[in-house]
Amino acid sequence: MKKYFGALIAVTGLLFASCSSDDDGLALSTCVDGVMNGDETGVDCGGSCESCESGVVAPDTYVFTRDDASTVSFSGQTIRLKMGQELLANFTTPTNTIDDLIGMFAHVEGGIDFEEDALNVSDKNLRSKVAASADYFSTNATNQALIRADLEGFINAQVEEVYPNWEVAAEAGVAGQLADGDRTRYVSANGLEYNQLFAKSLIGGLMTDQMLNNYLSTAVLDEADNIANNDGDVVEEGSSYTTMEHKWDEAYGYAYGLNADQANPNADLGADSFLNEYIERANSDTDFEGLADDVFNAFKLGRAAIVAKNYEVRDQQAEIIKENISKLIAIRAIFYLQNGKLGLAGETPNYGSAFHALSEAYGFIYSLQFTRKPNSTDPYFTKDEVDAFLIDLLDDGDNGLWNVEEITLDSISEEIASRFDFTVAQAAE
């Protein structure tokens, strides 16, 4: 299958340009795979032919400096990713209370909610950034409140429905535990694994929404005097970066904030349980191989464009990231719907495996409302469409996933795939 995740760049196939080779000054005429050709050597354009035309060339790694000091900063994103990791780990500790888990979600500075002191003294939390993007929620307080209530609802239900039945064998209409190979899953009476609903919904409601609809939004990047200050290299007080540089970095942090090598994160993908993990998962599928490079390269080139004051190239790279991350959400929703269908097949269904996958699918479907169509102000699916999918997923009988039918899983999968340029079969591998 053709690698399509970089397809948003306006240049496709052969691009005619008039760059000059640093080696011999000969005019270069065509661009193929990021190299301008026309003489015997060509010029490497850093993976993008736009680089030769615009003069913007991405560095090999995500390293940017001013006066020998790094201008890259996304510590707030790293803190929130750590908070999310610890909260998820605590979902499966049945001695926790609602206050314990909500404390991690809606942390207040100085609260003793986490193992790491740096998180406890932080004034940051997860809840305040859920459904908080400038583009989607600055004028939509109603949906913001509903979405935050949904995530808090998953926490409450885990404590109130699942914890009391921790040692009970789950069955239709009864919460409890299910075997999944050598693992144990803990599900509601409807078969829902709330930690998976929470984790995958958080990927959309926080990481994706903040990245695509906030920090990569022109409303945020170009807010107030950001363009003038960036043009004049006016940095934020006490910092080495301009506001525009910092906003772009904060988007980057939601993907790579926990990587050991944050300047070259594709070397150790899977560093968290959120976007980073699923960039790696999708990229490992041969149908979507190259996704990780497309995202990382767009982040690098877009950041280099900010340094070069080239906002057209910056915005082109933002659109590439929006398309990639949105497709990633859809790919994983379909993957888990189809994986769940496999677990339910045959005379002896593996309910533990199937419900685990379908709970992940539920969260990724929920996250579709935070995706972003390239060159658009709209998500690929509205909240109403997402809510309808989730109702269908649980509406084939009185006991939710215990009664879900293959035709329902296939129908939702096909409808999701129809908005993108890949098939259900490709996403299901």
Side-chain angles (χ1 to χ4, degrees):
M1 175 181 173
K2 179 181 177 183
K3 298 178 188 177
Y4 49 76
F5 282 104
L8 268 175
I9 300 177
V11 183
T12 57
L14 296 180
L15 172 71
F16 292 89
S18 58
C19 295
S20 295
S21 166
D22 291 336
D23 296 324
D24 54 20
L26 294 177
L28 304 176
S29 58
T30 61
C31 178
V32 181
D33 294 332
V35 176
M36 296 297 296
N37 299 301
D39 63 356
E40 294 181 356
T41 60
V43 173
D44 186 348
C45 302
S48 169
C49 296
E50 288 176 312
S51 299
C52 281
E53 284 200 315
S54 67
V56 181
V57 178
D60 292 335
T61 58
Y62 200 85
V63 174
F64 299 91
T65 62
R66 176 176 286 109
D67 298 329
D68 296 325
S70 174
T71 61
V72 177
S73 176
F74 45 82
S75 59
Q77 285 62 45
T78 296
I79 286 173
R80 288 192 176 89
L81 291 174
K82 286 183 176 182
M83 288 177 171
Q85 289 291 116
E86 189 167 338
L87 174 52
L88 287 183
N90 275 274
F91 255 83
T92 51
T93 302
T95 56
N96 279 321
T97 66
I98 289 176
D99 286 344
D100 291 332
L101 299 181
I102 291 294
M104 295 181 189
F105 181 53
H107 170 72
V108 176
E109 182 178 3
I112 310 302
D113 301 311
F114 301 98
E115 291 293 325
E116 186 177 338
D117 288 341
L119 303 185
N120 289 323
V121 301
S122 174
D123 62 352
K124 296 172 173 54
N125 65 46
L126 299 170
R127 187 184 187 278
S128 65
K129 291 297 183 179
V130 168
S133 65
D135 285 355
Y136 282 5
F137 296 101
S138 62
T139 59
N140 196 344
T142 299
N143 279 356
Q144 179 185 80
L146 290 171
I147 290 161
R148 291 178 180 179
D150 283 342
L151 269 71
E152 289 176 337
F154 300 151
I155 292 173
N156 292 339
Q158 178 77 351
V159 176
E160 294 175 345
E161 299 174 23
V162 180
Y163 284 176
N165 281 22
W166 204 250
E167 302 298 332
V168 174
E171 58 183 88
V174 178
Q177 58 176 253
L178 290 170
D180 179 10
D182 60 355
R183 303 193 63 170
T184 302
R185 308 296 183 186
Y186 299 92
V187 301
S188 72
N190 278 342
L192 295 170
E193 198 175 5
Y194 287 119
N195 62 329
Q196 296 304 320
L197 268 62
F198 182 89
K200 277 54 183 185
S201 298
L202 195 68
I203 288 174
L206 198 164
M207 292 79 183
T208 298
D209 185 50
Q210 283 293 295
M211 179 189 292
L212 307 190
N213 309 314
N214 196 65
Y215 291 122
L216 297 183
S217 163
T218 54
V220 171
L221 289 170
D222 297 344
E223 185 179 13
D225 296 327
N226 287 359
I227 292 177
N229 288 340
N230 194 69
D231 286 344
D233 289 322
V234 177
V235 300
E236 292 189 3
E237 184 176 356
S239 301
S240 60
Y241 48 74
T242 68
T243 297
M244 188 185 296
E245 290 170 339
H246 185 47
K247 297 304 180 185
W248 188 272
D249 291 343
E250 288 183 295
Y252 182 88
Y254 276 120
Y256 307 116
L258 288 186
N259 283 91
D261 185 354
Q262 295 174 341
N264 187 29
N266 284 355
D268 67 322
L269 288 173
D272 63 43
S273 301
F274 306 111
L275 279 175
N276 196 275
E277 175 178 351
Y278 293 99
I279 291 172
E280 189 278 330
R281 295 280 187 92
N283 193 69
S284 66
D285 182 337
T286 54
D287 285 316
F288 306 105
E289 185 179 5
L291 181 151
D293 284 341
D294 289 335
V295 172
F296 181 51
N297 288 338
F299 266 118
K300 287 190 300 175
L301 184 55
R303 182 58 156 80
I306 292 173
V307 174
K309 287 71 171 165
N310 189 320
Y311 307 121
E312 181 178 0
V313 171
R314 179 203 69 180
D315 292 344
Q316 289 167 341
Q317 303 316 301
E319 297 306 319
I320 292 170
I321 296 165
K322 290 172 185 178
E323 182 184 30
N324 272 293
I325 297 300
S326 297
K327 285 184 175 180
L328 167 63
I329 300 296
I331 290 165
R332 297 314 290 182
I334 294 170
F335 175 88
Y336 287 118
L337 286 168
Q338 295 300 306
N339 197 259
K341 186 177 77 170
L342 289 176
L344 293 173
E347 295 183 1
T348 308
N350 183 339
Y351 288 112
S353 172
F355 292 172
H356 176 67
L358 293 176
S359 295
E360 292 188 273
Y362 186 110
F364 277 112
I365 292 169
Y366 191 92
S367 289
L368 288 170
Q369 64 190 294
F370 307 102
T371 57
R372 183 70 170 259
K373 293 179 183 178
N375 302 302
S376 167
T377 59
D378 300 321
Y380 279 88
F381 293 91
T382 66
K383 186 178 189 305
D384 287 344
E385 289 175 313
V386 164
D387 289 345
F389 284 149
L390 297 177
I391 290 171
D392 289 346
L393 190 62
L394 300 176
D395 204 33
D396 284 338
D398 293 332
N399 297 305
L401 297 181
W402 292 95
N403 303 116
V404 70
E405 298 178 1
E406 287 188 11
I407 190 171
T408 299
L409 302 179
D410 285 338
S411 174
I412 297 173
S413 296
E414 292 290 351
E415 194 162 349
I416 293 171
S418 71
R419 305 277 174 98
F420 296 88
D421 56 356
F422 57 83
T423 66
V424 169
Q426 288 165 340
E429 293 177 359

